[in-house]
Amino acid sequence: MKTTKKFILTEQEMPTRWYNIIADMPNKPLPPLHPGTREPIKPEDLAALFPMGLIKQEASTERYIDIPGEVLDLYRSYRPSPLFRASALEKAIGTNCRIYYKYEGGSYAGSHKANTAIAQAYYNKLEGVKKMTTETGAGQWGTALSFACRHFGIELEVFMVRISYEQKPYRKIMMNTYDATVVPSPSELTESGRKILAEDPASPGSLGIAISEAVERAAADAEVKYSLGSVLNHVLLHQTIIGEEALLQMNKAGDYPDIVVGCFGGGSNFSGISFPFIRENLLNGNKTRAIAIEPASCPKLTRGKYMYDFGDTVGLTPLLAMYTLGHNFVPAKIHAGGLRYHGAGVLVSQLLKDGLMEARSKLQKDCFRNGVLFARSEGILPAPESTYAITGAIDEARKCDEAGIPQTILFNLSGHGHLDLSAYDKYFSEELEDHALTDKEIEESIAMIR
Ligand SMILES: *Cc1c(COP(=O)(O)O)cnc(C)c1O
């Protein structure tokens, strides 16, 4: 029997609008608060950090936002991205479910992060910004923004979590190749960095600390803007190109997902694939379940608390109403570096609170096992982050099989793992550990939120 496996769109069929889910949310998210006054933030308060084009998107209630031509042009270097039927994986796990995946690893950055990097660099360029700062964990986001900035003629300074800077030099080299400056964080360049180093000169750094440094640098210089690779509304907006394409591709496959799965760090790739399907639920009565998969060692969605918290460690960012483990939470050093963030962002948090999506947590060794199974069946070696989505999809398929109700499952394969081979090596040599987190540890971290 011949089965079609790959569903592609032509360049002409590529969607030309992003989807803004705020327009359709039954309960709107609570407003961000100013870190000093704790009053709802005004657009001009954000102007020191972001260009007005992005601030407008952050607060927009329009359902659709046109993707600018120059952004579409660069998207076309790797989009539309392919959608595959995972027939070999289905066979390997012996499921009656139909499993599909959208592959975002084909971008220059090797992940979905290019989708927002290009858009953010573009809006900065439009307003004459000459220099930007950002943070990066293992380096995926920094890599994505480095090329986007280079393309639009913007200088970029990246604060990279020190432990990754030391242990994972390849992304740093990629960023340098794209002409970005990479600084290990915490650094002596900022007050935030110096404060952390004074307390712990050997600090391995964290995403929260690196954000504090990048924000501080941008806030201190009117010529410099800051950029974040996940969490914020405009970032999630830019990623909806994934789900909009997937809707068209599922249609070409003559199928429709009962379940959509994405791994979850700050929520951008999960939102990207799922928001357009949640829209179909809200507007057209469809019943797709959207499931976010987070690491058991960083379980903000499944075990965090919904409350106002900072996006960074030092407390320089606006306060966001979100599921959080506390801005001082430092997750165990699992290899899915992109999933080690303490908070979930306001859109996803409100959707979860309202029961419009679900969340599960998974252990790292199970995820690597499934990542290897996926590589051996489908041929793509997944990013450690993406193995959480694979695991979520496989677990849901097993549950459907047990219930005797086969379903259609779509997951987002957010990136490839070619620069994470050392993590696979550790998995094969049985050096990986699972990290159990006690309720007490979580309670203590949340109690530190000011
Ligand atoms: C950054 C990253 C993630 C996690 O970030 P989200 O904003 O939650 O999508 C997942 N997968 C890959 C490959 C990443 O680079």
Side-chain angles (χ1 to χ4, degrees):
M1 191 180 68
K2 186 178 176 300
T3 49
T4 310
K5 199 178 145 49
K6 185 177 180 186
F7 302 93
I8 51 171
L9 299 173
T10 64
E11 285 189 4
Q12 289 71 33
E13 288 171 313
M14 189 170 90
T16 55
R17 300 184 303 183
W18 292 305
Y19 169 56
N20 182 12
I21 200 168
I22 293 183
D24 297 319
M25 286 168 72
N27 295 313
K28 307 302 175 198
L30 296 178
L33 304 182
H34 190 284
T37 63
R38 301 203 170 215
E39 294 292 323
I41 207 152
K42 295 183 221 60
E44 53 274 25
D45 295 332
L46 292 172
L49 295 184
F50 302 105
M52 271 334 269
L54 293 175
I55 295 171
K56 279 198 194 123
Q57 289 182 355
E58 189 64 21
S60 170
T61 53
E62 295 287 311
R63 180 173 289 139
Y64 295 105
I65 295 175
D66 285 333
I67 306 175
E70 284 183 69
V71 174
L72 287 172
D73 283 346
L74 204 47
Y75 274 3
R76 287 198 187 94
S77 72
Y78 63 95
R79 308 207 71 85
S81 71
L83 182 139
F84 295 96
R85 170 91 183 261
S87 350
L89 178 70
E90 288 171 20
K91 210 166 147 207
I93 62 172
T95 182
N96 288 319
C97 292
R98 289 186 299 278
I99 303 179
Y100 297 83
Y101 60 95
K102 178 86 166 146
Y103 183 46
E104 289 294 310
S107 79
Y108 64 84
S111 78
H112 67 288
K113 295 230 168 61
N115 299 330
T116 186
I118 294 167
Q120 292 193 47
Y122 168 79
Y123 287 105
N124 275 280
K125 181 211 76 160
L126 211 58
E127 293 175 35
V129 173
K130 293 281 182 293
K131 180 174 172 183
M132 291 167 67
T133 65
T134 196
E135 70 292 324
T136 197
Q140 287 105 313
W141 166 240
T143 306
L145 192 62
S146 295
F147 175 66
C149 280
R150 172 73 197 185
H151 178 84
F152 288 114
I154 300 169
E155 197 187 320
L156 178 67
E157 182 176 67
V158 183
F159 288 88
M160 183 173 189
V161 175
R162 183 177 294 272
I163 180 109
S164 303
Y165 181 93
E166 285 165 2
Q167 293 182 352
K168 300 185 176 172
Y170 293 122
R171 292 273 180 199
K172 173 191 166 284
I173 300 167
M174 266 184 96
M175 290 184 265
N176 290 149
T177 306
Y178 289 138
D179 206 17
T181 306
V182 185
V183 181
S185 164
S187 78
E188 296 284 349
L189 289 182
T190 66
E191 209 179 296
S192 307
R194 289 190 292 270
K195 186 171 154 227
I196 302 279
L197 287 173
E199 286 162 16
D200 176 9
S203 168
S206 72
L207 218 41
I209 296 169
I211 295 175
S212 299
E213 291 207 274
V215 165
E216 188 186 319
R217 286 286 269 188
D221 189 337
E223 307 281 301
V224 180
K225 298 280 187 231
Y226 164 73
S227 169
L228 186 65
S230 186
V231 180
L232 297 178
N233 302 355
H234 67 268
V235 182
L236 276 43
L237 171 82
H238 301 152
Q239 294 295 354
T240 57
I241 182 86
I242 302 172
E244 293 292 4
E245 284 181 3
L247 261 172
L248 301 176
Q249 287 162 309
M250 289 304 297
N251 191 37
K252 287 201 176 193
D255 214 339
Y256 194 85
D258 300 297
I259 299 172
V260 175
V261 177
C263 65
F264 197 98
S268 75
N269 91 90
F270 166 76
S271 304
I273 189 125
S274 68
F275 282 3
F277 290 97
I278 296 178
R279 172 190 66 217
E280 299 306 306
N281 291 353
L282 291 169
L283 300 186
N284 298 323
N286 292 30
K287 295 259 183 308
T288 300
R289 290 165 58 207
I291 308 178
I293 314 290
E294 63 184 4
S297 56
C298 195
K300 58 252 177 188
L301 296 172
T302 52
R303 295 172 76 189
K305 193 169 174 199
Y306 179 82
M307 60 187 295
Y308 272 106
D309 192 11
F310 294 106
D312 67 324
T313 303
V314 175
L316 303 178
T317 68
L319 288 147
L320 302 176
M322 62 182 178
Y323 284 95
T324 178
L325 294 164
H327 57 272
N328 287 306
F329 183 79
V330 179
K333 290 181 194 76
I334 55 164
H335 287 272
L339 307 185
R340 295 175 68 234
Y341 184 66
H342 67 272
V346 300
L347 293 179
V348 174
S349 294
Q350 188 67 47
L351 291 169
L352 182 65
K353 198 160 172 281
D354 291 341
L356 297 172
M357 58 168 276
E358 304 165 41
R360 313 252 187 284
S361 70
K362 304 286 174 200
L363 291 163
Q364 113 167 318
K365 278 198 273 190
D366 289 337
C367 293
F368 270 96
R369 181 168 6 89
N370 289 320
V372 171
L373 179 67
F374 181 84
R376 288 178 185 175
S377 31
E378 296 294 321
I380 300 174
L381 195 145
E385 290 85 358
S386 311
T387 64
Y388 286 77
I390 294 168
T391 302
I394 291 177
D395 286 357
E396 289 306 314
R398 295 223 164 96
K399 278 187 226 162
C400 295
D401 289 332
E402 276 163 28
I405 309 168
Q407 297 208 303
T408 298
I409 300 168
L410 166 66
F411 72 89
N412 193 42
L413 191 66
S414 52
H416 68 64
H418 297 179
L419 294 180
D420 302 285
L421 290 174
S422 64
Y424 279 87
D425 192 34
K426 288 214 175 83
Y427 169 73
F428 289 126
S429 50
E430 292 179 17
E431 285 170 48
L432 288 192
E433 280 172 47
D434 281 330
H435 305 271
L437 201 54
T438 64
D439 287 341
K440 188 159 164 275
E441 285 171 290
I442 293 178
E443 278 160 24
E444 281 173 2
S445 178
I446 289 173
M448 282 168 78
I449 299 175
R450 303 171 303 241

